[in-house]
Amino acid sequence: MSIKLSKFSKPTPYKNKLKFYAWYLVNITFVNSSLPLSKIKIVLLRLFGAKIGNGVTINSSINIKFPWNLDIGNNCWLGSHVWIDNTEKVIIENDCCVSQGVYIVTGNHNFKKETFDYYGKQIKIEAHSWIRAKSIICPGANVKRDTFIKIGSIIK
């Protein structure tokens, strides 16, 4: 079977178009900024529905697709250039470190169907885990408590 992108219908993973575009502007202006504005980023993410605990540090150049699908526990770190591509829920429990350049993606496409259907699955990173630099966390992954992921790993 070959894919036929002309038959693909793009899903709309947001309900409020105005909120989506407002977030897009806030994200590219402040959250994805190279400026070290961790506290401001947290306030903005919370305003758009993210649940973020105490003692969280968010470094520079972070990209978060949908803050309303993001839960971060207490005392977590997000390194520079982390991309959370979360059309579905991403849960990061307490005391987790997501290092530089990590890509967390909740959605993919079914290449076995010519319509290339989108599907999404929640990701959960349990407490006291460390996702090291340049790793990829794939849809449906559940990183167990106290796990240390090697640099450049792909977790399915």
Side-chain angles (χ1 to χ4, degrees), residues 9-142:
S9 61
K10 187 175 181 178
T12 309
Y14 53 85
K15 294 175 184 155
N16 183 324
K17 215 177 221 185
L18 182 61
K19 182 179 179 181
F20 169 75
Y21 287 116
W23 169 248
Y24 179 81
L25 292 174
V26 167
N27 189 40
I28 63 172
T29 306
F30 297 105
V31 179
N32 203 347
S33 164
S34 61
L35 296 171
L37 304 170
S38 185
K39 290 182 185 195
I40 293 171
K41 292 175 185 188
I42 289 168
V43 167
L44 292 170
L45 284 161
R46 285 176 178 155
L47 281 173
F48 280 88
K51 294 175 184 149
I52 301 176
N54 298 317
V56 172
T57 299
I58 297 177
N59 284 297
S60 60
S61 304
I62 302 293
N63 190 14
I64 297 171
K65 186 170 267 182
F66 298 127
W68 45 88
N69 286 338
L70 181 63
D71 290 2
I72 301 176
N74 297 319
N75 305 309
C76 292
W77 297 348
L78 298 183
S80 298
H81 302 285
V82 167
W83 182 5
I84 300 177
D85 192 352
N86 59 333
T87 54
E88 309 299 324
K89 181 71 85 178
V90 169
I91 301 165
I92 302 171
E93 293 184 346
N94 297 334
D95 299 296
C96 288
C97 178
V98 179
S99 294
Q100 296 83 351
V102 169
Y103 180 48
I104 298 172
V105 57
T106 61
N108 207 340
H109 297 272
N110 185 345
F111 67 90
K112 293 179 181 180
K113 291 183 138 189
E114 71 176 13
T115 51
F116 206 50
D117 295 351
Y118 165 83
Y119 68 88
K121 294 181 181 175
Q122 173 180 292
I123 290 173
K124 186 174 187 181
I125 300 170
E126 294 182 8
H128 311 285
S129 294
W130 179 14
I131 313 299
R132 294 186 193 163
K134 300 291 184 180
S135 294
I136 300 170
I137 310 300
C138 298
N142 187 7

